[in-house]
Amino acid sequence: MVMAWFCKAGRRGSVFRQLLLLLLLVYLGGFLYFTISSSMARRDMSRMDYSIIDDIIRGRWRRRLGSVRYVAPTCQAQNNLVFIKCMKCATETLGTIFRRYAYLNNLSVVLPVKNRIYLGWPFPITHMDYRPSSQGFNLLMEHAIYNGTFMKRLMNPGTVFLTMIREPLDLFVSAVNYFNVFQLSNASLQNGMEAVQAYLRNIHHYEVLYKSHAAAPKRYCIPDGFSITKNLLSHCLGMPIGFPPGRANITGDLAAVTQYIKELDSEFQLVMLMEYFEESLVLLKRLMCWSVKDIVHYSTNRGSYRKNTSWSVLTSYDRDLHREWSHADYLLYDHFNQTFWRKVRGQGQDFWQEVAFFREVQRQVTSFCHNVTPYGDSRINFPPSPWSPPFSFTTADCKLLTSPLLPMLKERYEKQEPSISPVSIPREFLPLC
């Protein structure tokens, strides 16, 4: 009927009627489109939800507030964990997370004796390296060499084992700068990537000087004969690399190294990657059934050497030198790089949105804590999201981020267990820190 009217209007040449008909067709088309798209939206609410989530991720907390509902997970928060701090892998930044979680939840922590900061590192942990507890232990996270047999006996049943690793060459560059390796080995160059290159090309010569007893007075926490540059990841994760003296060294046996890495894979529930820090923390949160607020952190020990540093100085020859020098670390890193991304692929479609959401929360908390007055009572509020209930970050929370929590945990230990003394037995090696 509409088409007949259109033809009739055309024959009469009425411009007015043609315009009226055109408006009618536009209206009918819009009505049909709205009806169909509304029906599709009802069948696919996730599309609408994601547009709201995008607003949340971008920090537009007040837009459509209340449109997103948080559904509490069915899991329970895990409070028993061992975190192996591989040296120079952002582990002190992670320390601000684990120590705070332990402090706020009144967990029993494996703490170094006296004023020490390590649990025997770089020597194997012994009963003399920690303060005993009548409550058992929930959490171990200070520097200790992984020993699965020892640590499983020490910790509560059901303990989760975690660590974070770093690309080996990047780790090498960080370590030689942090531990003053250039200066202590009297390297020809002392700064920049040119110094890294020169060290790599004369590494056997410089390593002897750095590890010697003559350099010991200026080596912070590093005993004689220990290499801070060679297979450091592997050593922290307990692989026999010939240190301490007399211990086996399997790094020359590819089959043995491969088998050891497979055993680590079966014993660690999560091996995080420093290069993908936020992604790692979201995996940690999901594994441990923690909250978004639990993984907010304060970044520490960022290397100033990175300023005006150009990696292009290093050639493929230099990179091959380091791969040959620290080949066990490369095998370990390559393996767990693959397992990391397999875990990410198994997380579901909203993983990357949660990473973006967490990154925005971290950005806003960092800005808030940087500008807040020390003794004020202000706070920043976050509404519910698909990944967290509503929560606040207060001035007190900011202060706790940067508080010296290791001494605070030791002080609390002294009050809770004043009569317990560490085990005293003869030992061959004495940790320096």
Side-chain angles (χ1 to χ4, degrees), residues 311-340:
W311 281 80
S312 62
V313 171
L314 298 184
T315 66
S316 59
Y317 172 72
D318 299 319
R319 295 173 185 275
D320 288 343
L321 283 174
H322 187 256
R323 180 176 285 273
E324 181 181 354
W325 173 252
S326 203
H327 66 279
D329 273 8
Y330 280 92
L331 291 170
L332 187 146
Y333 183 85
D334 291 345
H335 176 89
F336 286 110
N337 184 38
Q338 294 178 24
T339 66
F340 179 87

Side-chain angles (χ1 to χ4, degrees), residues 83-86 88-98 100 141 163-167 170 270-286 290 292-302 306 333 337 340-341 344 351-352 354-356 358-360 362-363 366 401:
F83 175 69
I84 298 300
K85 292 180 73 176
C86 292
K88 301 311 297 170
C89 293
T91 46
E92 191 54 30
T93 296
L94 280 164
T96 70
I97 294 173
F98 293 123
R100 187 176 81 250
M141 61 81 51
T163 191
M164 176 171 278
I165 60 176
R166 183 177 189 174
E167 193 280 322
D170 195 29
L270 178 62
V271 176
M272 298 173 277
L273 302 181
M274 199 199 86
E275 295 81 8
Y276 300 94
F277 195 72
E278 290 88 0
E279 293 87 345
S280 293
L281 290 184
V282 172
L283 286 177
L284 169 69
K285 167 191 171 287
R286 292 184 171 200
W290 288 359
V292 170
K293 186 174 180 179
D294 289 330
I295 60 172
V296 172
H297 56 277
Y298 172 73
S299 296
T300 64
N301 288 349
R302 286 191 171 183
R306 290 188 173 275
Y333 183 85
N337 184 38
F340 179 87
W341 294 112
V344 167
F351 175 78
W352 291 107
E354 183 173 4
V355 171
F358 168 61
R359 190 175 284 129
E360 177 62 25
Q362 180 66 43
R363 185 191 67 79
T366 300
L401 277 184

Side-chain angles (χ1 to χ4, degrees), residues 194-210:
E194 292 81 1
V196 172
Q197 183 182 65
Y199 196 93
L200 280 171
R201 295 186 179 189
N202 296 276
I203 199 162
H204 294 282
H205 170 73
Y206 288 134
E207 281 284 301
V208 171
L209 297 176
Y210 177 75

